[in-house]
Amino acid sequence: MKISSEKLIEKIKQEELKLNVLLLFGNDWGTIIGLTKTIYNYVKKKNNIGEIVYFDCKNDKNISIKGLINTQSLLYKAKFIVIKNISEKICEELKNIHFSEDIVVINGEGIKPNSKIKKYFDTHRVFISVPCYELKKREKVKIIDTFLHNNKIVLTKDVYWYLVENISNDYLILEGELEKISVYGGSSL
């Protein structure tokens, strides 16, 4: 099932979506990393999830994905697993895994639009694929508006539009710049 990053976050907040396996793909690594962090922050307390477990398919050859997912944690109800450097074999591996409470995020940076992995996730009825490309103006405005609202920051109209027009379209840079505004600006600028 393919879904935009905005819709994904909205559905997570409203608890309308059961998360288990997500493919974050595209050429904007900042969006992939930022979205992974955002998803983790939303679900960690509600789902009693421990720290993020990172798995690199190229370097962690002694551990299987199935073994990592089926291992029970003593302290937490579920795990948040980020997998990177995947190959097309992952589609077959995922078919044979029973997912309970664990959440798996696959970093699909650089996956080609016509890849078997992307097609598998786009058409799967439960797994989710999320395109992660440079932010468009509309997406950037929504992120800025949400950040300002959540942090109770009021900007003058001129400052707001200057920010929208001049801040980066890269998700991680945008997030960092907004954080600076909250530290520097207080409640109004």
Side-chain angles (χ1 to χ4, degrees), residues 57 65 85-95 106 111-121:
C57 289
I65 294 172
N85 293 321
I86 58 170
S87 67
E88 291 186 355
K89 292 188 294 185
I90 198 164
C91 297
E92 287 303 315
E93 289 182 64
L94 294 174
K95 286 179 186 176
I106 298 173
I111 287 181
K112 294 184 178 15
N114 60 350
S115 78
K116 181 180 174 184
I117 299 166
K118 183 185 168 308
K119 288 177 184 174
Y120 177 74
F121 274 82

Side-chain angles (χ1 to χ4, degrees), residues 5-6 135-149 171 174-175 178:
S5 57
E6 295 169 332
L135 296 172
K136 293 177 177 52
K137 186 175 181 178
R138 179 180 56 80
E139 296 164 327
K140 189 165 59 168
V141 165
K142 188 164 184 161
I143 291 168
I144 292 169
D145 289 347
T146 301
F147 181 85
L148 295 173
H149 175 75
Y171 185 86
L174 172 65
E175 190 177 64
L178 290 173

Side-chain angles (χ1 to χ4, degrees), residues 7-185:
K7 280 280 187 210
L8 176 68
I9 297 300
E10 185 179 305
K11 288 182 177 287
I12 290 171
K13 285 181 183 176
Q14 297 171 356
E15 299 180 22
E16 294 178 358
L17 198 59
K18 168 80 171 114
L19 295 177
N20 55 18
V21 183
L22 299 101
L23 170 67
L24 307 182
F25 69 92
N27 60 7
D28 188 357
W29 65 270
T31 301
I32 292 171
I33 292 168
L35 192 54
T36 300
K37 188 171 87 173
T38 301
I39 294 166
Y40 174 72
N41 288 333
Y42 278 121
V43 299
K44 71 179 175 183
K45 288 182 183 168
K46 186 163 241 32
N47 296 6
N48 191 20
I49 292 178
E51 295 299 312
I52 298 174
V53 176
Y54 292 95
F55 181 78
D56 185 333
C57 289
K58 283 185 182 174
N59 298 322
D60 298 333
K61 295 185 186 223
N62 296 335
I63 305 169
S64 72
I65 294 172
K66 185 175 185 175
L68 185 66
I69 291 168
N70 290 335
T71 305
Q72 187 76 24
S73 170
L74 296 175
L75 301 174
Y76 299 101
K77 187 170 125 183
K79 293 184 292 289
F80 191 94
I81 302 165
V82 176
I83 302 173
K84 66 179 185 174
N85 293 321
I86 58 170
S87 67
E88 291 186 355
K89 292 188 294 185
I90 198 164
C91 297
E92 287 303 315
E93 289 182 64
L94 294 174
K95 286 179 186 176
N96 300 318
I97 298 173
H98 171 70
F99 296 92
S100 54
E101 301 294 323
D102 292 342
I103 297 173
V104 177
V105 175
I106 298 173
N107 179 331
E109 182 181 355
I111 287 181
K112 294 184 178 15
N114 60 350
S115 78
K116 181 180 174 184
I117 299 166
K118 183 185 168 308
K119 288 177 184 174
Y120 177 74
F121 274 82
D122 285 351
T123 58
H124 199 280
R125 60 181 178 79
V126 178
F127 295 173
I128 300 168
S129 70
V130 183
C132 298
Y133 297 103
E134 187 175 87
L135 296 172
K136 293 177 177 52
K137 186 175 181 178
R138 179 180 56 80
E139 296 164 327
K140 189 165 59 168
V141 165
K142 188 164 184 161
I143 291 168
I144 292 169
D145 289 347
T146 301
F147 181 85
L148 295 173
H149 175 75
N150 291 345
N151 290 283
K152 297 176 178 59
I153 297 173
V154 178
L155 301 178
T156 65
K157 191 174 184 178
D158 291 339
V159 170
Y160 175 81
W161 287 110
Y162 180 83
L163 178 68
V164 168
E165 295 300 325
N166 292 291
I167 202 163
S168 176
N169 292 337
D170 180 282
Y171 185 86
L172 274 184
I173 295 172
L174 172 65
E175 190 177 64
E177 295 300 316
L178 290 173
E179 196 59 40
K180 289 177 191 173
I181 290 172
S182 72
V183 171
Y184 174 77

